[in-house]
Amino acid sequence: MEINEDRLREALNADPEFRLQARFWNTQFRVVTDTQNLLVRLVDGEVVTVDTAATPFDTWDFQLAGTDEHWGALLAPVPPPFYQDYYAAMLYHGFRIEGNMKMIMAYYPAIRRTREVLAQVVAGQEVAI
Amino acid sequence: MNRFAGVTGRYVYLTVQGVEYRVYFEEAGSGTPVVLQHTAGCDNRQWRHLMEDTELAGQFRLIAADLPYHGKSLPPAGEQWWTTEYTLTEEFLLAFHVALADALELERPIYMGCSMGGHLAADIALNHPGRYRAVVGIEAALHSHGMERILPWLYHPEIGNDTKPAIMFTLCSPESPERFVRETAWVYSQGAPPVFKGDLEYYMVGHDLTDTARNIDTSAIGVWILSAEYDWSAPPTAGAQLAAEVEGSHFLPMPGMGHFPMSENPERFREIILPILREAALLGQEAVVSG
């Protein structure tokens, strides 16, 4: 599974629900797979960069981390039980959503939506720009 | 021609544990009474699809109240409720439902509730088997311990009222129609800030039938337990554990369904619940014949 960084940035910025729920948000979070470690940076609710060369020295507020098997189930058109969301996948399948819990809870409407946007990106769907 | 729902709403004054509450409830249909209990932090709008189902309303008197502090049931006017944090208890819930059934003069109604209301189904079966003919516990379980540390985040000055509906969205099934999933979540955005957490004090902490569920007498009250496949809060294994403890109970897994079957996938849920309610209604008739 490969997440294209440019398509992810474009898709998040083009998604009206994500933009609405990400309002006023300044953050950096990681999307971690077996082979990728993406650092997504938002300024005032807009994704300004998706860095594919993130290092252990970079700061992040929270991360969405799982194996390719986790991500494959999470981003399936109809996810299997308890893969319909990061939170359920954490409780039942060992996926990791961790970091600043206050930020995670406050921005969960936007974080939840990233799964659906990522599914579009991985499926290669056109995003409305 | 104008179209009207076959649902009427009104208020009843109930005294529960010495405090008077002005309680809003809606009802529809006629026949065997069925009392419907909403989930934590929600209100009776969750049952709107069932209430407007003409086939159900043709056989059952469906009654859905808003618990005090929920929906249109305001906090009690005679109490300084703003000086303490809202918390729901099993004792209050049980007393509330008996008071409601008494006030509406319901003859051994069927009780049906979901999530928190599902937990209460088992509590009612244990504590008031003579007052009700049957209970239907949707997403019921012996207990829901283990996630209590989430509670402070659900009533926090720096976390808005959008977070609760977002979490509730994740309890829904990906197979449910999006328009109903969105509606289900929307209702959660309208609960008063402390109420969801306060209700979960009962759901996650207070409710525990680990040592007592086996004492439920299904010869005195029918017990149905329904569990949805995508419910990560009360998964089918939890419902099955409760059913295993209650001899004579009925356990029904609901494939492809989520935590709020009556509101997130009402068309599929009506097909599941209609035969159950018909069978539960017969329990009352048997009691009348044998009595």
Side-chain angles (χ1 to χ4, degrees):
Chain A
M1 188 192 72
E2 184 76 16
I3 301 170
N4 180 282
E5 66 273 18
D6 292 328
R7 285 187 55 79
L8 177 59
R9 177 177 50 79
E10 292 167 358
L12 287 171
N13 283 335
D15 187 76
E17 182 176 356
F18 177 79
R19 291 299 296 268
L20 183 63
Q21 298 297 349
R23 65 198 185 279
F24 312 128
W25 201 8
N26 296 291
T27 187
Q28 293 186 112
F29 68 89
R30 298 204 310 177
V31 177
V32 181
T33 72
D34 280 340
T35 56
Q36 289 182 283
N37 184 352
L38 305 174
L39 188 61
V40 181
R41 181 166 175 254
L42 277 81
V43 175
D44 201 20
E46 180 180 1
V47 180
V48 291
T49 58
V50 178
D51 185 348
T52 59
T55 75
F57 303 107
D58 294 308
T59 296
W60 43 271
D61 293 313
F62 67 95
Q63 66 173 350
L64 306 169
T67 64
D68 281 1
E69 185 179 351
H70 287 141
W71 282 108
L74 279 162
L75 305 184
V78 180
F82 311 140
Y83 275 111
Q84 71 265 30
D85 179 65
Y86 303 128
Y87 196 45
M90 173 188 74
L91 290 173
Y92 289 91
H93 299 297
F95 184 82
R96 286 151 55 206
I97 171 168
E98 56 195 7
N100 181 335
M101 186 53 65
K102 186 163 73 177
M103 177 179 282
I104 291 171
M105 295 301 287
Y107 277 97
Y108 207 70
I111 295 169
R112 184 201 67 70
R113 182 63 183 167
T114 63
R115 186 192 64 81
E116 292 160 334
V117 174
L118 276 163
Q120 295 170 23
V121 169
V122 170
Q125 294 175 9
E126 291 298 318
V127 295
I129 299 176
Chain B
M1 185 172 177
N2 293 327
R3 198 163 71 94
F4 291 91
V7 180
T8 56
R10 63 188 299 202
Y11 293 88
V12 60
Y13 287 87
L14 300 181
T15 298
V16 182
Q17 296 181 321
V19 177
E20 185 182 69
Y21 298 91
R22 181 176 180 261
V23 173
Y24 178 71
F25 70 101
E26 295 178 349
E27 67 174 290
S30 60
T32 304
V34 183
V35 180
L36 305 166
Q37 175 58 57
H38 58 72
T39 61
C42 203
D43 61 58
N44 67 9
R45 284 175 292 175
Q46 279 182 321
W47 297 103
R48 77 172 184 93
H49 303 281
L50 219 59
M51 302 279 284
E52 292 196 43
D53 187 294
T54 53
E55 190 173 1
L56 271 161
Q59 300 167 58
F60 301 98
R61 181 185 174 192
L62 304 165
I63 299 156
D66 290 342
L67 285 177
Y69 298 88
H70 302 68
K72 290 185 176 180
S73 296
L74 292 166
E79 296 291 307
Q80 292 190 341
W81 49 268
W82 56 90
T83 60
T84 56
E85 188 173 322
Y86 168 80
T87 301
L88 186 63
T89 66
E90 176 185 324
E91 293 72 23
F92 177 85
L93 274 171
L94 290 170
F96 173 86
H97 271 281
V98 170
L100 179 66
D102 288 348
L104 301 184
E105 300 179 345
L106 305 180
E107 182 71 26
R108 292 199 76 197
I110 299 167
Y111 167 91
M112 178 161 68
C114 182
S115 184
M116 170 183 89
H119 283 2
L120 185 64
D123 287 331
I124 283 177
L126 179 65
N127 291 282
H128 297 290
R131 188 66 187 84
Y132 298 81
R133 72 182 71 188
V135 297
V136 181
I138 305 164
E139 313 314 313
L142 285 172
H143 65 77
S144 292
H145 302 329
M147 290 177 52
E148 295 87 338
R149 291 193 183 188
I150 196 176
L151 291 175
W153 300 115
L154 300 177
Y155 180 43
H156 191 291
E158 295 178 79
I159 295 171
N161 239 24
D162 279 332
T163 291
K164 284 171 273 192
I167 294 173
M168 297 304 98
F169 189 104
T170 74
L171 283 163
C172 296
S173 167
E175 297 180 31
S176 293
E178 182 171 9
R179 65 188 187 281
F180 292 139
V181 171
R182 296 285 182 178
E183 180 181 295
T184 297
W186 172 262
V187 176
Y188 268 90
S189 69
Q190 297 178 303
V195 171
F196 186 47
K197 173 183 180 287
D199 286 351
L200 293 184
E201 294 284 349
Y202 161 72
Y203 177 79
M204 289 185 177
V205 182
H207 171 80
D208 190 337
L209 293 180
T210 304
D211 296 326
T212 53
R214 65 179 66 95
N215 298 328
I216 293 173
D217 180 4
T218 56
S219 70
I221 183 168
V223 176
W224 277 262
I225 297 157
L226 281 60
S227 292
E229 184 180 25
Y230 278 90
D231 182 359
W232 56 256
S233 176
T237 51
Q241 285 175 347
L242 171 60
E245 289 289 311
V246 183
E247 188 179 350
S249 65
H250 308 271
F251 176 64
L252 188 71
M254 295 187 287
M257 300 290 264
H259 187 76
F260 310 95
M262 64 285 183
S263 61
E264 68 174 83
N265 200 340
E267 291 181 13
R268 193 185 289 183
F269 182 66
R270 76 175 298 283
E271 301 305 317
I272 294 170
I273 205 62
L274 194 52
I276 291 173
L277 292 179
R278 285 174 176 154
E279 191 176 342
L282 290 175
L283 292 176
Q285 291 180 0
E286 288 164 5
V288 170
V289 171
S290 62

